[in-house]
Amino acid sequence: MLRSKILNRIRLLKPVIDRRCMSSASKTPLTLLEVDDKSGIATLSLNRPPVNSLNIDLMNSIIESITEIEGNKSRGLILTSANDRVFCAGLDLNELHKPNQERLKEFWAVFQDVWLALHLCSVPTAAAINGHAPAGGCLLATACEYRVMLPQMTIGLNETQFGYMAPKWVMLSYLSVLPRRLAERALTQGKLFTTAEALDVGLVDEIAASKEEALAKCSTFIDSFSKANPLARSLTKKQIREPDVQKLIADRAGDLKECLEYINSPLLQDGLGAYFEALKQKSRSKAGKS
Ligand SMILES: CCCCCCCCCCC/C=C/C(=O)SCCNC(=O)CCNC(=O)[C@H](O)C(C)(C)COP(=O)(O)OP(=O)(O)OC[C@H]1O[C@@H](n2cnc3c(N)ncnc32)[C@H](O)[C@@H]1OP(=O)(O)O
């Protein structure tokens, strides 16, 4: 009964995700998808310069790639970045700052979809975190089952640093990896963990000296399921993740409504504007353009 319920629910989910995927074809390859013909493992690289910030097109491209990977019977999915400094800078702040309301609704729905698609992905998933992973970038990493990170990077849900509170389902993704008391402290502080700190608290599982080593460690993790029946493995993962996923699926409209009110509040818009301006200023001074 529960199995068919889960499968039906996933089928219900899929049409939403598939329809969304067809609607936006990006001109440049925002994601690069390679399947190793020996191992059968797919590597999905985020490829939206300069920092893989998540806009509607990139998130649709990620969803499309996950749907393709699940359809082509890849043995596993490794999520990484084509950029050697940044894994993913999180949500594109241009989508949140002084937003077009219709676009913001679509943006938020796709954000919900990309988390659901990755969190419920039927094949084993691992993140080779070869760059900084703040906020939404950290969410993509925690949606994966395993995380390998390079040194001297940072990762964490830093929303309170720019005046926001993460939605319940984003917090649940953190709580699926960190003990509650630590997750609460890190969320309220808006903490960005260094690679060493992240390993220490269990936010990442291993450290690798290079991207190649990180990819190899992720492949080893995926190979650890070689003796498990793929369908049984997938259903087991979905059953364990079902309660968290349900909290979003049961009230996607409510989550959207709450987010729109929150993002559009003048106080938060002012805070976000100041944060974004500081980012741009830092970038200009780095490039000697101040
Ligand atoms: C109850 C209801 C709840 C409502 C919820 C409201 C919304 C909360 C949603 C919760 C989930 C997720 C939220 C997010 O992800 S918001 C985004 C948070 N991201 C960050 O804080 C990261 C900011 N960026 C950085 O820290 C650095 O850029 C980074 C470490 C990633 C890279 O540093 P580096 O020095 O390599 O690069 P620069 O900083 O010089 O940046 C290069 C250019 O990229 C632009 N940039 C950077 N980050 C973003 C971004 N997230 N969106 C858009 N643009 C970004 C930066 O401005 C530079 O651009 P210019 O060269 O043109 O100035």
Side-chain angles (χ1 to χ4, degrees), residues 5 141 181 184 250:
K5 229 175 75 183
R181 184 163 177 269
E184 178 185 313

Side-chain angles (χ1 to χ4, degrees), residues 104-263:
L104 181 59
K105 285 178 192 156
E106 182 184 359
F107 172 75
W108 197 259
V110 180
F111 181 40
Q112 293 171 338
D113 282 346
V114 76
W115 178 70
L116 289 168
L118 190 53
H119 198 67
L120 289 175
C121 183
S122 58
V123 302
T125 54
I129 309 167
N130 57 324
H132 298 291
C138 177
L139 180 67
L140 293 183
T142 55
C144 294
E145 296 162 48
Y146 199 75
R147 283 158 292 284
V148 183
M149 192 165 171
L150 267 59
Q152 270 95 47
M153 300 298 173
T154 55
I155 182 171
L157 293 182
N158 61 330
E159 283 76 5
T160 55
Q161 282 190 21
F162 46 91
Y164 278 100
M165 168 181 71
K168 283 187 280 294
W169 51 278
V170 172
M171 293 187 190
L172 286 170
S173 203
Y174 226 28
L175 282 161
S176 69
V177 173
L178 292 178
R180 183 180 190 80
R181 184 163 177 269
L182 185 74
E184 178 185 313
R185 193 179 342 145
L187 276 162
T188 48
Q189 289 171 340
K191 181 168 178 62
L192 286 172
F193 293 91
T194 64
T195 303
E197 289 170 334
L199 181 71
D200 189 41
V201 299
L203 183 52
V204 301
D205 300 285
E206 291 187 71
I207 293 179
S210 68
K211 179 177 179 179
E212 292 63 35
E213 188 186 333
L215 292 170
K217 287 174 183 273
C218 287
S219 298
T220 303
F221 168 75
I222 290 168
D223 288 343
S224 72
F225 298 102
S226 56
K227 292 195 172 54
N229 170 291
L231 179 58
R233 195 208 83 87
S234 167
L235 286 172
T236 302
K237 169 181 172 179
K238 285 183 177 116
Q239 178 139 298
I240 288 171
R241 293 180 174 217
E242 179 68 14
D244 287 355
V245 165
Q246 259 317 305
K247 292 201 172 72
L248 173 57
I249 291 180
D251 190 22
R252 290 188 66 159
D255 177 66
L256 172 64
K257 181 171 175 293
E258 195 180 18
C259 143
L260 292 179
E261 281 163 14
Y262 200 75
I263 287 177

Side-chain angles (χ1 to χ4, degrees), residues 3-45:
R3 178 181 178 286
S4 55
K5 229 175 75 183
I6 291 174
L7 288 175
N8 285 338
R9 194 166 293 131
I10 291 159
R11 264 193 284 283
L12 266 180
L13 263 183
K14 285 293 181 205
V16 173
I17 290 171
D18 293 350
R19 191 170 55 244
R20 220 172 280 287
C21 283
M22 251 74 94
S23 67
S24 66
S26 62
K27 290 175 245 355
T28 54
L30 296 171
T31 53
L32 307 170
L33 182 57
E34 292 161 89
V35 182
D36 182 305
D37 51 15
K38 287 198 206 64
S39 69
I41 294 174
T43 300
L44 174 52
S45 302

